[in-house]
Amino acid sequence: MASLFAYKYGLDDPAQLSGVIQIFNLFYIKDADLTKAKQKAEKYGIPPLFNDALQMTQYDIDHLIAPVYLGFGSLAYSKEYGERAKLIFDAAIKLEGCNYLSCKFHENFYYHPQWLIPFGKNYHNGLLTLLRFKQETFYPTDADNAILNIPRNTISPSRVKSIESAVLENFPTRRYDNNRRLKSNENAAYGITIAEGYIEVRQAFEGKSKTAQPKVSDSKVKKTLEDRGYVSEKNWLGRKRLIDFGNTDSEIIEHVCTEIQELFKELEIYH
């Protein structure tokens, strides 16, 4: 966290910072494995200072002082913690000095600082988040040039295939067509493809040769995906790199699986 704020103020060493950095958490369990941390949080509950989770969240909100960096990670969209994350977000965007955030919750990236500083700068959305936070604007200057200069080939093809296989293994009954495509149910109008290092969304159909016929709902789906950081390209309503979901393989796999579940919920209203 100190390194992130040092970056914001153009300091080479976090020790040069002067002041206090407050850290508020959605739960207070320390474990490098997010899945295990969530399990422990459910088992041990919240600190005894608070009666319930909402009281703890309100305490945090009452003590927010800008600038604020929100690093919820995948918890921002989780069933257990998403509501509290949104409450903190709603309070943060009202503070002066938080202009790096979009007022649309799903349009922001909530990368954890421990990933963002050492690794995030090597990825499109990570670098964009850093520039936004540093310049205190959602539209930082020279972002396009900085992104173009990101080193390429930051992940090996073998690692990509391993991640893709692990993600697909989590959805054995949801696959269709070439087994790299997923849909929430047999009647789903839109499918999710995991291939070539991306998570991609388009209309659900069998066979590579088929051309999707435009649907009225396509524009709504495209907007939903844009709000989640996806880019529309070629025949895809939205696509996003798998490596933008974390640093370690386990992080990426977990976050992408969570993303797929969330997309299933978003897309299942269309038939």
Side-chain angles (χ1 to χ4, degrees), residues 9-269:
Y9 294 110
L11 303 175
D12 296 327
D13 186 348
Q16 295 176 281
L17 286 169
S18 177
V20 176
I21 297 176
Q22 297 185 107
I23 299 177
F24 299 113
N25 295 311
L26 293 176
F27 59 80
Y28 286 88
I29 297 292
K30 184 177 180 180
D31 195 305
D33 187 315
L34 181 58
T35 299
K36 293 180 180 178
K38 290 166 66 175
Q39 292 172 347
K40 291 178 181 178
E42 293 173 1
K43 179 178 180 180
Y44 297 111
I46 61 174
L49 178 65
F50 305 103
N51 293 323
D52 54 46
L54 287 178
Q55 184 186 38
M56 182 179 75
T57 300
Q58 188 58 52
Y59 175 90
D60 296 347
I61 290 172
D62 292 341
H63 291 80
L64 288 179
I65 300 175
V68 174
Y69 178 78
L70 303 181
F72 305 126
S74 61
L75 297 180
Y77 307 109
S78 72
K79 180 180 179 181
E80 300 91 341
Y81 303 101
E83 180 181 354
R84 279 184 275 152
K86 184 64 165 55
L87 289 173
I88 295 174
F89 166 82
D90 288 341
I93 59 173
K94 296 176 183 178
L95 299 175
E96 185 176 351
C98 290
N99 294 327
Y100 83 97
L101 293 168
S102 166
C103 61
K104 298 177 181 178
F105 184 78
H106 286 90
E107 200 165 271
N108 300 292
F109 304 109
Y110 303 104
Y111 298 120
H112 194 285
Q114 287 184 338
W115 175 82
L116 193 60
I117 286 295
F119 306 107
K121 62 181 179 291
N122 294 320
Y123 304 106
H124 178 285
N125 292 336
L127 179 57
L128 186 58
T129 300
L130 281 169
L131 292 173
R132 286 171 173 170
F133 186 60
K134 182 179 180 67
Q135 298 182 27
E136 292 188 6
T137 174
F138 193 69
Y139 302 101
T141 59
D142 295 326
D144 290 341
N145 288 333
I147 290 169
L148 283 174
N149 291 322
I150 293 175
R152 301 304 176 189
N153 301 321
T154 53
I155 184 170
S156 68
S158 61
R159 185 180 168 204
V160 168
K161 290 182 179 179
S162 175
I163 291 171
E164 290 176 351
S165 296
V167 169
L168 291 167
E169 286 173 3
N170 279 273
F171 301 93
T173 63
R174 304 295 183 93
R175 302 187 199 181
Y176 70 101
D177 202 13
N178 62 1
N179 284 327
R180 303 191 72 80
R181 298 175 184 173
L182 310 167
K183 55 184 177 182
S184 58
N185 58 68
E186 286 299 317
N187 298 317
Y190 295 93
I192 299 168
T193 299
I194 305 296
E196 299 181 355
Y198 283 86
I199 174 172
E200 304 163 309
V201 179
R202 68 179 180 186
Q203 291 181 25
F205 54 82
E206 304 278 346
K208 296 181 180 180
S209 60
K210 181 174 179 179
T211 300
Q213 299 301 311
K215 292 177 177 285
V216 175
S217 55
D218 285 352
S219 59
K220 296 179 181 178
V221 172
K222 183 178 177 180
K223 185 62 177 64
T224 295
L225 295 171
E226 288 177 350
D227 289 345
R228 298 182 76 95
Y230 286 70
V231 176
S232 176
E233 292 182 353
K234 299 180 181 178
N235 297 323
W236 303 106
L237 296 173
R239 64 199 309 253
K240 190 173 181 180
R241 298 195 308 174
L242 298 180
I243 55 175
D244 286 338
F245 285 86
N247 173 34
T248 66
D249 288 13
S250 60
E251 283 180 343
I252 295 172
I253 293 164
E254 179 184 359
H255 295 171
V256 171
C257 288
T258 299
E259 180 80 352
I260 290 171
Q261 294 287 11
E262 292 293 332
L263 287 175
F264 280 162
K265 295 176 183 177
E266 294 271 10
L267 300 175
E268 68 182 359
I269 63 174

